[in-house]
Amino acid sequence: MLLQKLILYVGSIILLLVVLGHMGVDLTALLGAAGIAGIAFGFASQTSLSNIISGLFLISEKPFAVGDWIQVGEMDGYVLSIDLLSVKLRKHNNEYVRIPNETLLKSDVVNISRFPIRRYDFTVGVAYKENAERVHAVLMEVARSNRYTLHEPEPQIYLARFGNSAIEFILGVWHAREDWLRVRYTILEEIKARFDAEGIEIPFPHLSLYTGSATEPFPIRLVQD
């Protein structure tokens, strides 16, 4: 797409010069004036030239193509077009985003849709009193029963770390690239419903207050009105 537009612009300029030559216009003075104007224009449009050159590098490297789903920093969306100065994206909420080519060349670009399948990792916290093997089994059943996840490669579950108020598991499920949002939200709903049914506690941070002693808790007395 970028090469097509570059050829169109250059070809239009050449065609214009040929037509003026056939009409008898003296191109010597015109080309001299155009050269001076081109130098001034070059100094005034360094950012635009940088974006054009960056676009050529993007074309040669091919990190993404029109129709791919990419992430740049905190922003992600589908590539609508790759132009001389910028790349146009459509976010999942239908917002239109323009990113200069130079910014893309300097940033970390993640091509989310490059491969036909991908893995989404969920962090799941449970109370310390829960049995780790039981939690592992319940998470595996949820992952395998979800209609959007793949059985091959199989889901992966790890006990990641001991947090301040929870044991944290990592649940990694594989899915088709177009089912990313469906997997993200349905798995969370199914985990919550299944933990409620199994009586597995999802903890929240607790805060204890003390008056200075290392063992005596802060006394609280309820007064009935």
Side-chain angles (χ1 to χ4, degrees):
M1 186 178 295
L2 180 60
L3 291 177
Q4 288 176 350
K5 292 188 176 181
L6 185 61
I7 293 172
L8 175 63
Y9 296 149
V10 173
S12 299
I13 293 173
I14 295 175
L15 180 61
L16 177 61
L17 294 176
V18 171
V19 172
L20 290 176
H22 281 287
M23 293 175 62
V25 178
D26 185 8
L27 298 180
T28 305
L30 184 62
L31 291 176
I36 297 175
I39 294 175
F41 180 77
F43 280 110
S45 60
Q46 293 181 11
T47 302
S48 297
L49 291 175
S50 177
N51 283 322
I52 292 174
I53 295 173
S54 298
L56 295 176
F57 279 115
L58 289 175
I59 287 295
S60 63
E61 188 179 353
K62 297 180 181 178
F64 53 84
V66 174
D68 283 348
W69 182 12
I70 66 172
Q71 179 177 347
V72 184
E74 298 296 325
M75 186 184 310
D76 63 271
Y78 291 96
V79 179
L80 295 177
S81 66
I82 304 172
D83 298 325
L84 284 174
L85 299 179
S86 62
V87 170
K88 312 301 192 304
L89 301 182
R90 178 174 62 85
K91 299 176 65 176
H92 66 275
N93 57 0
N94 221 30
E95 291 181 347
Y96 179 84
V97 181
R98 175 188 180 274
I99 304 178
N101 290 335
E102 185 179 10
T103 301
L104 283 169
L105 196 64
K106 293 180 179 179
S107 304
D108 294 332
V109 178
V110 180
N111 192 332
I112 298 175
S113 60
R114 184 63 173 265
F115 303 109
I117 65 171
R118 58 173 299 199
R119 193 182 76 183
Y120 193 92
D121 293 332
F122 298 87
T123 300
V124 182
V126 299
Y128 274 91
K129 67 181 181 66
E130 304 297 343
N131 183 279
E133 294 183 358
R134 179 165 170 258
V135 173
H136 185 286
V138 171
L139 290 176
M140 183 62 74
E141 291 176 6
V142 170
R144 288 176 173 171
S145 63
N146 185 277
R147 61 185 180 277
Y148 300 114
T149 59
L150 302 177
H151 292 175
E152 180 63 35
E154 66 177 8
Q156 298 173 327
I157 303 174
Y158 306 100
L159 200 163
R161 72 186 188 97
F162 298 105
N164 293 330
S165 58
I167 303 176
E168 295 184 359
F169 289 82
I170 297 295
L171 169 62
V173 294
W174 292 90
H175 57 86
R177 61 188 176 190
E178 60 271 13
D179 290 333
W180 177 74
L181 283 177
R182 299 184 184 95
V183 168
R184 177 179 177 181
Y185 295 119
T186 57
I187 285 286
L188 290 176
E189 292 176 356
E190 292 169 5
I191 290 176
K192 178 63 170 62
R194 190 62 189 279
F195 277 11
D196 289 345
E198 297 289 337
I200 298 176
E201 180 183 350
I202 300 176
F204 55 90
H206 294 74
L207 179 64
S208 298
L209 301 178
Y210 295 89
T211 58
S213 171
T215 56
E216 295 295 330
F218 189 83
I220 297 177
R221 182 167 60 93
L222 298 178
V223 178
Q224 186 73 29
D225 291 338

